[in-house]
Amino acid sequence: SAVISQKPSRDICQRGTSLTIQCQVDSQVTMMFWYRQQPGQSLTLIATANQGSEATYESGFVIDKFPISRPNLTFSTLTVSNMSPEDSSIYLCSVEFGGPTPNTEAFFGQGTRLTVV
Amino acid sequence: AQSVTQLGSHVSVSEGALVLLRCNYSSSVPPYLFWYVQYPNQGLQLLLKYTTGATLVKGINGFEAEFKKSETSFHLTKPSAHMSDAAEYFCAVTRGTGGGNKLTFGTGTQLKVEL
């Protein structure tokens, strides 16, 4: 298993500003994922972040809006840039162990609840 | 492409009653299926998963799910609900192409347990 800590747990931000969310894992992991959970909706994968390479973004998400860093095997950040009220969501960090197979288990942080006003 | 449909965004049961949360999937490859639970202000926790083998999967907290390929279903059940089961439940499927756990989630079902 893994202990995943996300900071901040919640924030209220002004439109037009940016927020960086941190994800710290208590052990080394190969793959880290960032998800968004909009109000009343399910989780949507934003991007996959591997250490030492550029993040891979899903359709509908771009690096300019959601830049991601992955400086080492235990840490990642997601920045929500130039925020608008539509960015109000819960953002979750997820990790997996055991290599890139569908059979591995994903572990999730507690999420960052972002409100943009 | 993979997708998941959860029927019923809200389900209410009495304490001690059967819990049944429905999940149907669509997948172009053999699916790996998951159920996650999310308690208020917490991250998602894995309840159970189906990969291969036995189609009846037992998970934590007394939950189980049965993979039925003919019905493309993976419904979650628990014989007797407890107040502590009140939470949101998500069914998910992986891409199944070896690209890591890129999960596609259903829209979730909020379970309410009443006295």
Side-chain angles (χ1 to χ4, degrees), chain A residues 11-105:
Chain A
D11 207 342
I12 301 174
C13 300
Q14 296 290 324
R15 67 178 67 199
T17 63
S18 298
L19 176 72
T20 295
I21 302 168
Q22 299 180 2
C23 178
Q24 179 74 53
V25 189
D26 67 345
S27 52
Q28 296 183 339
V29 295
T30 304
M31 303 185 78
M32 297 180 76
F33 305 85
W34 287 98
Y35 287 85
R36 180 175 72 181
Q37 185 178 17
Q38 293 179 297
Q41 299 187 30
S42 186
L43 288 83
T44 302
L45 180 65
I46 297 172
T48 303
N50 293 333
Q51 192 268 336
S53 63
E54 293 286 330
T56 302
Y57 289 83
E58 298 296 308
S59 175
F61 297 96
V62 295
I63 187 171
D64 290 346
K65 177 66 175 177
F66 298 101
I68 289 172
S69 77
R70 182 79 200 274
N72 57 53
L73 292 174
T74 63
F75 187 78
S76 177
T77 66
L78 169 76
T79 298
V80 186
S81 303
N82 188 25
M83 288 183 286
S84 67
E86 291 70 36
D87 295 319
S88 298
S89 296
I90 299 174
Y91 293 85
L92 294 107
C93 171
S94 172
V95 305
E96 67 172 28
F97 299 96
T101 72
N103 195 21
T104 55
E105 178 178 342

Side-chain angles (χ1 to χ4, degrees), chain A residues 10 31 33 35 37 41-43 45 48 56 58 92 96 100-106 108-110 113, chain B residues 32 34 36 38 41-44 46 49 51 90 94-103 105-107:
Chain A
R10 59 179 63 228
M31 303 185 78
F33 305 85
Y35 287 85
Q37 185 178 17
Q41 299 187 30
S42 186
L43 288 83
L45 180 65
T48 303
T56 302
E58 298 296 308
L92 294 107
E96 67 172 28
T101 72
N103 195 21
T104 55
E105 178 178 342
F108 288 82
Q110 83 279 14
R113 185 179 296 273
Chain B
Y32 292 172
F34 304 78
Y36 282 86
Q38 186 178 32
N41 300 315
Q42 295 187 30
L44 279 74
L46 181 67
K49 65 179 178 181
T51 54
F90 292 94
T94 62
R95 305 293 175 89
T97 57
N101 256 338
K102 293 183 179 181
L103 295 165
F105 286 87
T107 51

Side-chain angles (χ1 to χ4, degrees), chain B residues 8-100:
Chain B
S9 59
H10 292 82
V11 171
S12 183
V13 300
S14 300
E15 190 174 34
L18 171 72
V19 175
L20 171 61
L21 304 182
R22 300 179 185 275
C23 173
N24 288 89
Y25 70 90
S26 172
S27 177
S28 57
V29 298
Y32 292 172
L33 295 157
F34 304 78
W35 275 99
Y36 282 86
V37 60
Q38 186 178 32
Y39 298 102
N41 300 315
Q42 295 187 30
L44 279 74
Q45 179 183 4
L46 181 67
L47 275 177
L48 49 81
K49 65 179 178 181
Y50 168 79
T51 54
T52 58
T55 56
L56 181 62
V57 180
K58 295 186 183 299
I60 62 172
N61 302 337
F63 284 93
E64 63 182 36
E66 186 171 11
F67 171 64
K68 292 187 176 180
K69 184 178 180 180
S70 62
E71 299 178 6
T72 61
S73 69
F74 191 57
H75 301 332
L76 182 71
T77 61
K78 182 175 181 178
S80 177
H82 190 272
M83 295 296 289
S84 61
D85 295 326
E88 187 151 24
Y89 293 79
F90 292 94
C91 183
V93 62
T94 62
R95 305 293 175 89
T97 57

